[in-house]
Amino acid sequence: MKLLIGSDHGGFELKEDLKIFIQELGYEVKDYGTYDIQSCDYPDVAFQVAEDVAKGEGERGILVCGTGIGMSIAANKVKGIRASLCHDTFSARFAREHNDANILTLGGRVVGKGLAREIVRIWLEANFTGERHARRLNKIEEYEKNER
């Protein structure tokens, strides 16, 4: 699986740690930046990663900013994206199983590296269960198509 990853300055350190961890798990990673702790705007990175996930250039994406909130809001503006902010393993599992989340957002100033690694591992291993959840996601997709 190819994962697309990006951060702003607030999530830079956690992104760098997660890149190594994800590669150790055997996944391919494409880094969209930022590449240092200089201040930058999270929407720029979020839109790039989300658009490329939506186009199929990577199966899933991970975005990290200070809280994860900004990245989640920005990524969810891209049609076809279901970005989920997760700060615990329960949410990470159900973001995949029930919501088929294709982007995980994390807060670099909220979760520590150990917990973030566990959230990512669980999110990567979980699979969409379909069934009644597919019906609900279809409603979201229909709404996106007819958005006013």
Side-chain angles (χ1 to χ4, degrees), residues 8 20 25 37 55 71 79 90 99 103 115 131 137:
D8 70 356
I20 295 165
L25 292 175
I37 58 169
K55 288 189 282 189
M71 287 291 198
K79 286 188 179 185
F90 180 85
N99 306 112
I103 292 183
L115 177 56
E131 302 168 8
L137 292 181

Side-chain angles (χ1 to χ4, degrees), residues 1-69:
M1 180 186 314
K2 182 177 182 180
L3 295 168
L4 312 182
I5 192 168
S7 73
D8 70 356
H9 55 284
F12 172 74
E13 287 184 30
L14 183 57
K15 177 195 65 136
E16 291 298 299
D17 182 74
L18 290 175
K19 267 190 340 190
I20 295 165
F21 177 68
I22 292 164
Q23 290 169 335
E24 287 171 354
L25 292 175
Y27 298 97
E28 180 183 351
V29 178
K30 181 175 180 185
D31 187 352
Y32 283 70
T34 193
Y35 304 107
D36 56 39
I37 58 169
Q38 297 301 311
S39 181
C40 65
D41 297 332
Y42 63 83
D44 298 333
V45 176
F47 294 147
Q48 286 180 326
V49 169
E51 287 172 4
D52 282 357
V53 169
K55 288 189 282 189
E57 295 193 23
E59 286 83 350
R60 297 190 211 162
I62 297 175
L63 292 167
V64 189
C65 64
T67 63
I69 297 167

Side-chain angles (χ1 to χ4, degrees), residues 18 25 35 39 75 83 90 98 101 111 120-121 125 129 133 146:
L18 290 175
L25 292 175
Y35 304 107
S39 181
F90 180 85
H98 290 197
V111 296
V120 166
R121 185 188 62 74
E125 291 174 356
T129 57
H133 307 295
N146 301 314

